[in-house]
Amino acid sequence: MHTISINNVQFSYGAQTILDGIDLEVLAGEFICLLGPSGCGKSTLLRLLAGLAKPTLGSIALDGAPITAPGLDRGVVFQDYSLFPWMTTGQNVVLALEQAFPGKPKNEQRETAQAYLEMVGLDNVFHKLPGALSGGMRQRAAIARAFAINSPVLLMDEPFGALDAITRARLQDLLLQLWQQNKGERKTVIFVTHDVEEAILLASRVVVMGLNPGSVRGVFDVSIPRPRVRQELYGTPEFIALRDRLIGELHADVLDELDEGRTVRTAGEGI
Ligand SMILES: Nc1ncnc2c1ncn2[C@@H]1O[C@H](COP(=O)(O)OP(=O)(O)OP(=O)(O)O)[C@@H](O)[C@H]1O
Ligand SMILES: [Mg+2]
């Protein structure tokens, strides 16, 4: 299962409407990428899905039950990594494992935590405080923590934003592997990115959001077969056509604004 229904969701901070009229049905096992300009409410929508905030209007449900609080059925990677700074990196992962799998022996939890840290390329950070890691290392530790609890739903907010190209490619592959490792029961993933190519590489559907207020501008199926091999994918006509459509949709807001500006300037010049 693990279907997510977002029904006519509005979210406001005081008088400012951040999200409006958001409707989206996410099927179990889908990999959704959210694309949209800075400030359109992608992180806000993820916070609502994580249960850290409630919609002002409308509802969000997981398998028919309203989301009202964080839960172990949803692994979250926040944009700001959000590790507890007073615990070592390893303890951060162990804590999540203890919540997800209470009662397991401590040494087993530590081994699992270390294994997931190694999976994201962090072999020697278990005893280090997050403050002693680079931004990209902190980001990877937060990813390891989310992967370790092996939840059926993953909510990820620009998780690979601070990584170099090679590490990013490795983690994209790892994520795809974890997504589909349980045959017949894929995880349901909602993944925020600014990178159109990353969205096409990963997603089964791409949701493009627009600004003022944040809303869904378009939903695009990515029917390119898997596995998607980067070197082959980027040259294919399907990839290029979809990339151009997504970029066009993403920039439509900005182009509208620029066009309005030009109209105003032209009118002004005539006076
Ligand atoms: N705690 C808050 N109080 C008031 N306004 C907020 C708060 N958090 C976010 N906002 C506003 O909500 C809007 C959406 O923010 P959000 O962080 O969801 O955008 P985003 O799409 O994730 O942007 P980015 O791509 O830069 O991460 C912005 O206008 C932001 O200023
Ligand atoms: Mg954000």
Side-chain angles (χ1 to χ4, degrees), residues 61-102:
L62 178 59
D63 290 336
I67 291 177
T68 54
L72 291 165
D73 48 3
R74 282 153 287 145
V76 189
V77 180
F78 294 105
Q79 199 167 6
D80 57 4
Y81 325 146
S82 61
L83 300 167
F84 295 118
W86 59 87
M87 307 181 172
T88 66
T89 306
Q91 280 165 343
N92 265 280
V93 182
V94 167
L95 177 69
L97 283 166
E98 283 172 345
Q99 287 165 349
F101 309 107

Side-chain angles (χ1 to χ4, degrees), residues 82-99 105-118 120 122-133 137-138 140-146 148-149:
S82 61
L83 300 167
F84 295 118
W86 59 87
M87 307 181 172
T88 66
T89 306
Q91 280 165 343
N92 265 280
V93 182
V94 167
L95 177 69
L97 283 166
E98 283 172 345
Q99 287 165 349
K106 193 105 185 157
N107 62 333
E108 226 176 272
Q109 305 282 37
R110 277 198 290 263
E111 277 167 25
T112 309
Q114 176 63 16
Y116 275 91
L117 286 168
E118 285 178 17
V120 299
L122 296 175
D123 297 17
N124 296 310
V125 304
F126 194 100
H127 298 291
K128 291 187 179 158
L129 290 172
L133 307 184
M137 290 164 90
R138 278 202 290 276
R140 280 184 280 159
I143 292 165
R145 182 178 57 182
I149 65 167

Side-chain angles (χ1 to χ4, degrees), residues 43 79 157-158:
S43 296
Q79 199 167 6
D157 198 350
E158 296 190 49

Side-chain angles (χ1 to χ4, degrees), residues 6-73:
I6 304 173
N7 291 307
N8 199 18
V9 160
Q10 190 199 75
F11 183 81
S12 307
Y13 282 115
Q16 194 190 357
T17 303
I18 307 295
L19 295 170
D20 199 20
I22 307 279
D23 272 310
L24 187 67
E25 290 292 320
V26 180
L27 304 177
E30 268 200 296
F31 198 129
I32 299 282
C33 280
L34 280 182
L35 278 174
S38 182
C40 74
K42 303 179 296 296
S43 296
T44 305
L45 183 57
L46 236 64
R47 285 174 56 79
L48 297 177
L49 290 163
L52 292 167
K54 289 195 184 125
T56 313
L57 288 175
S59 64
I60 302 187
L62 178 59
D63 290 336
I67 291 177
T68 54
L72 291 165
D73 48 3

